Amino acid sequence: MTKLTPIDHKVKHKSTIPANFGTEIELFVREYKATGSGGTPKPVLMLHGRSVPALPGCDLVLPADGSPPQPDNSLSWAQALAGKGYNVYIMDLQGSGLSPRPEMHDPCNANPAQRSLLKTYPGTDDCDPTANYPFQLGNSQSEWDELGTVVKFIRKRCANEKVAFIGWSAASFVMGPYALRAPGDVASMFLLAPMFPPNGRWSTNIADPFAPPPGTPLPTKPESKPPAVFGFPMNLTSKAGLQAGISDKELADHVWQAIMDCDSIGQKWGGAPPGPPEGVMRWRNSYWWGWNESTVPHESTLGSTVPVCIVYGDQDRTANTAEELGPVLHFSVPKLYKAIPKDEKLMFRVEGWDHNPVWERKAAKTLQHMSWKWLKDKKVYDVESGSWFIDSEGVLTQVE
């Protein structure tokens, strides 16, 4: 694959995050222009999940044997699709990657339960028990607003074409409700390991099921209750914590470096003497609603106006959790598929995959191929609907 040249944009947006409400900020968006296209390129927008920024997940290029990155050693999902003729855009929401991170510069605003990661670098002994900004950072509305600004930016650049969505993990909390509210913007959705709480938070407002849940103090007053969950704007993940979820240990070092390259502050935190800081991954603490069994069937949009393809691994214990964990923490990919009301839906459960196939060399190539076929034909492996299991040999079995 020929290495493509990224075009990085700073897209102006009037923030609706409570911490900087009304301020004009700049959202990071990377673009790869289509190559090998025989017609007008179609736009694709890729979005990160809860913790990992967009570029390490969607645009990872590996150095070979310590040398500069090589085109044939790329795990870049974005570049693979651009090479198939799509104009591909990758975005960071506020609180992640190269977009603004309001209130996240202060180590005393880290989750108090995770401050031990910062005890030495930069030091948190002087922090109060509660965060200096004792509230969550983003919320569903602010993230839908940011996605909408970037969609508008893309459509203006792409002759007003609808945008195909590709989202990993908790991107579903943002892209799913956005597609339900603005289906005229969305050509299709491809969701990798989507997070879906069947009984998650939602509004009881019949006229607007995507309004904030009752009692939510938004937009200018952020959520803070319970304080152990929403009383801080920033979570942290250590290098060891992140790499524990990557089976290829050589690849794990490259992933961590890509994450650090997206965070000039986080790369200077964490670790202990006598060595230098090893860095921490800083990620936004958001309050989400509007993505559950009650909202997914909204106006029969998904599976009709917006076709949906879902791919997840049979070893994924992040996107599939026990019902006993309760309505906020019980997630189920099959229940998302079942809740989609119309027939233009396709789901694959893949043997051996966990929550991070983008960081498994063979799985990443398979994933790139599957998403390309979906974008191109609304089919994958010659099937266009139904729920399927793919075994380790690539054999498909229908499961419904």
Side-chain angles (χ1 to χ4, degrees):
M1 183 180 76
T2 301
K3 186 175 184 296
L4 305 179
T5 301
I7 305 168
D8 290 345
H9 302 279
K10 294 182 178 180
V11 179
K12 294 186 182 300
H13 172 74
K14 190 172 183 179
S15 180
T16 52
I17 283 181
N20 60 357
F21 190 83
T23 302
E24 184 175 82
I25 57 93
E26 294 179 328
L27 297 168
F28 173 79
V29 176
R30 173 164 290 181
E31 175 185 4
Y32 285 107
K33 288 191 173 293
T35 64
S37 174
T40 303
K42 302 292 186 181
V44 175
L45 175 58
M46 309 185 79
L47 182 63
H48 59 85
R50 180 181 63 161
S51 57
V52 177
L55 298 187
C58 301
D59 192 27
L60 185 66
V61 179
L62 309 178
D65 300 323
S67 62
Q70 301 296 315
D72 60 352
N73 201 26
S74 174
L75 290 185
S76 173
W77 193 354
Q79 292 187 48
L81 293 177
K84 295 293 188 180
Y86 295 90
N87 278 355
V88 181
Y89 297 83
I90 315 165
M91 72 170 289
D92 278 319
L93 296 163
Q94 282 196 87
S96 185
L98 296 170
S99 284
R101 303 188 192 218
E103 301 294 343
M104 292 175 63
H105 61 283
D106 182 353
C108 294
N109 281 336
N111 182 341
Q114 299 165 347
R115 285 184 191 163
S116 61
L117 296 176
L118 308 181
K119 186 172 180 62
T120 303
Y121 300 113
T124 51
D125 286 344
D126 294 334
C127 294
D128 290 334
T130 59
N132 288 341
Y133 181 82
F135 310 101
Q136 52 78 20
L137 186 67
N139 57 69
S140 284
Q141 187 61 58
S142 70
E143 295 183 358
W144 299 337
D145 292 342
E146 290 170 21
L147 180 60
T149 290
V150 173
V151 167
K152 183 178 180 181
F153 169 79
I154 294 170
R155 296 194 72 182
K156 186 175 181 179
R157 291 176 64 83
C158 297
N160 206 37
E161 288 277 356
K162 289 185 177 183
V163 181
F165 282 177
I166 293 181
W168 177 23
S169 188
S172 60
F173 279 106
V174 187
M175 286 182 152
Y178 183 91
L180 291 167
R181 301 174 79 201
D185 283 342
V186 185
S188 65
M189 282 203 301
F190 183 95
L191 299 176
L192 169 63
M195 305 299 288
F196 178 71
N199 301 304
R201 303 181 195 93
W202 71 300
S203 175
T204 56
N205 183 342
I206 296 175
D208 183 3
F210 302 101
T216 305
L218 297 170
T220 56
K221 293 183 179 180
E223 186 61 56
S224 61
K225 298 178 181 179
V229 179
F230 294 114
F232 50 88
M234 171 175 56
N235 281 293
L236 307 173
T237 300
S238 68
K239 180 178 181 180
L242 185 281
Q243 292 186 331
I246 305 175
S247 60
D248 184 329
K249 299 310 175 186
E250 178 187 359
L251 182 58
D253 284 335
H254 299 310
V255 172
W256 185 254
Q257 186 58 53
I259 292 171
M260 293 298 96
D261 289 344
C262 294
D263 189 355
S264 61
I265 292 178
Q267 64 185 240
K268 299 173 184 176
W269 289 1
E278 68 174 6
V280 295
M281 181 170 68
R282 302 181 304 148
W283 45 282
R284 74 203 191 282
N285 188 18
S286 283
Y287 180 79
W288 290 315
W289 66 83
W291 183 236
N292 52 53
E293 288 179 338
S294 297
T295 56
V296 165
H298 183 66
E299 295 189 354
S300 297
T301 294
L302 299 186
S304 57
T305 307
V306 180
V308 181
C309 182
I310 298 168
V311 179
Y312 75 104
D314 70 343
Q315 302 302 307
D316 189 339
R317 303 294 182 261
T318 300
N320 293 285
T321 58
E323 289 191 45
E324 291 74 20
L325 292 175
V328 175
L329 296 178
H330 167 50
F331 303 110
S332 172
V333 178
K335 288 181 180 178
L336 169 58
Y337 175 81
K338 184 177 180 181
I340 295 172
K342 294 297 182 178
D343 295 333
E344 290 186 62
K345 61 179 180 178
L346 185 57
M347 183 169 72
F348 296 96
R349 180 167 59 95
V350 186
E351 185 175 18
W353 286 14
D354 59 15
H355 196 64
N356 303 319
V358 294
W359 297 330
E360 301 288 343
R361 297 172 198 263
K362 181 179 178 181
K365 297 298 183 182
T366 300
L367 181 64
Q368 292 167 12
H369 176 78
M370 294 175 76
S371 61
W372 166 56
K373 295 299 290 183
W374 171 254
L375 292 171
K376 179 176 178 286
D377 302 323
K378 297 299 178 288
K379 293 182 187 179
V380 182
Y381 300 127
D382 294 324
V383 296
E384 58 186 2
S385 63
S387 176
W388 301 80
F389 175 71
I390 306 178
D391 70 15
S392 59
E393 301 299 321
V395 177
L396 272 67
T397 304
Q398 191 162 16
V399 294
E400 67 166 11

